[in-house]
Amino acid sequence: MADTTQPARYHAVAVVLHWLIALLIVGLLVVGFIMGGVETPELKFKLYQLHKSFGITVLVLSVLRLLWRLTHRPPPLPPMTKVWERWAAHAVHWGFYLIMIGMPLVGWLGVSASPMKMPLRIFGQFDMPLLPFFDGDTDPRATTQALFEAHGVMAFIAIGLLVLHLGAALKHHFIVRDDVLLRMAPKFLQGLLRALRGKNA
């Protein structure tokens, strides 16, 4: 008998946060990999500032998403889902939360540790405070480098999680042919996704 206390699909708030954060992360990854090679100083500065601004935006939205997740039950996985698939899904799910919160936080720490003390200006409107943990640091350059290297490693972890997540979603939709993808898809895309899956969708 189905558990009627659990929703059939994610709440609209979760759906909006999911796709908004996903788009921002993909954009941040793309810009993050290209902005270091930009030769025009003015453009490079603008890209770095936008990268920081959108990174803080992801941090705020991800904290909100986590709070929503902790207070709202998600829809259950299909009953036929194997135990190892459930564990993998949960591992990737919580791995994303660690990355979504940890990666911008480490970037914020790196900016704060930098001896340059550049302001963390959000979309040119206001300054985020630099974190005060590095006031007595005797080697701020080494600390900054270590933090930004960790930030870069986390970017590659994020790419790996995205590949796993997308692959699993496509497998469920086109091979297993269940509604795992549809429960997080915006309603205006559900018809298209069903059509792409073909007959007996």
Side-chain angles (χ1 to χ4, degrees):
M1 185 175 180
D3 183 0
T4 57
T5 65
Q6 290 187 295
R9 60 178 273 110
Y10 283 94
H11 190 281
V13 172
V15 173
V16 170
L17 287 173
H18 175 275
W19 291 106
L20 181 56
I21 293 170
L23 289 172
L24 288 173
I25 287 177
V26 171
L28 283 166
L29 288 170
V30 172
V31 173
F33 282 113
I34 67 173
M35 65 186 183
V38 174
E39 296 182 357
T40 307
E42 295 83 1
L43 178 57
K44 177 179 282 194
F45 178 78
K46 288 180 180 179
L47 287 175
Y48 270 90
Q49 292 302 105
L50 283 174
H51 187 79
K52 295 173 188 177
S53 296
F54 281 112
I56 293 297
T57 302
V58 167
L59 176 60
V60 173
L61 292 176
S62 297
V63 170
L64 292 175
R65 176 73 179 92
L66 178 59
L67 292 174
W68 181 271
R69 170 63 179 81
L70 293 174
T71 55
H72 295 77
R73 294 185 72 180
L77 290 169
M80 71 288 295
T81 306
K82 297 180 177 64
V83 174
W84 72 265
E85 290 178 318
R86 293 178 183 274
W87 279 102
H90 288 306
V92 171
H93 182 84
W94 290 107
F96 266 123
Y97 279 115
L98 289 174
I99 289 297
M100 292 186 308
I101 294 173
M103 188 159 58
L105 185 57
V106 169
W108 188 4
L109 287 167
V111 172
S112 301
S114 173
M116 298 176 65
K117 298 302 178 187
M118 292 286 291
L120 185 52
R121 182 155 297 234
I122 306 301
F123 299 113
Q125 300 301 311
F126 61 94
D127 290 344
M128 288 287 289
L130 298 180
L131 299 173
F133 309 126
F134 309 101
D135 293 341
D137 193 348
T138 57
D139 194 357
R141 291 185 183 277
T143 302
T144 302
Q145 181 178 354
L147 287 166
F148 283 132
E149 285 179 355
H151 187 71
V153 169
M154 295 175 86
F156 284 103
I157 295 173
I159 292 172
L161 290 172
L162 284 169
V163 170
L164 289 171
H165 186 59
L166 180 59
L170 294 177
K171 175 192 172 186
H172 274 280
H173 193 66
F174 291 106
I175 298 176
V176 181
R177 302 175 73 83
D178 58 29
D179 289 343
V180 166
L181 176 59
L182 294 174
R183 66 186 190 165
M184 181 54 88
K187 289 186 177 180
F188 68 90
L189 286 178
Q190 290 190 2
L192 175 61
L193 289 170
R194 290 183 186 277
L196 288 172
R197 191 164 63 183
K199 294 181 179 180
N200 301 319

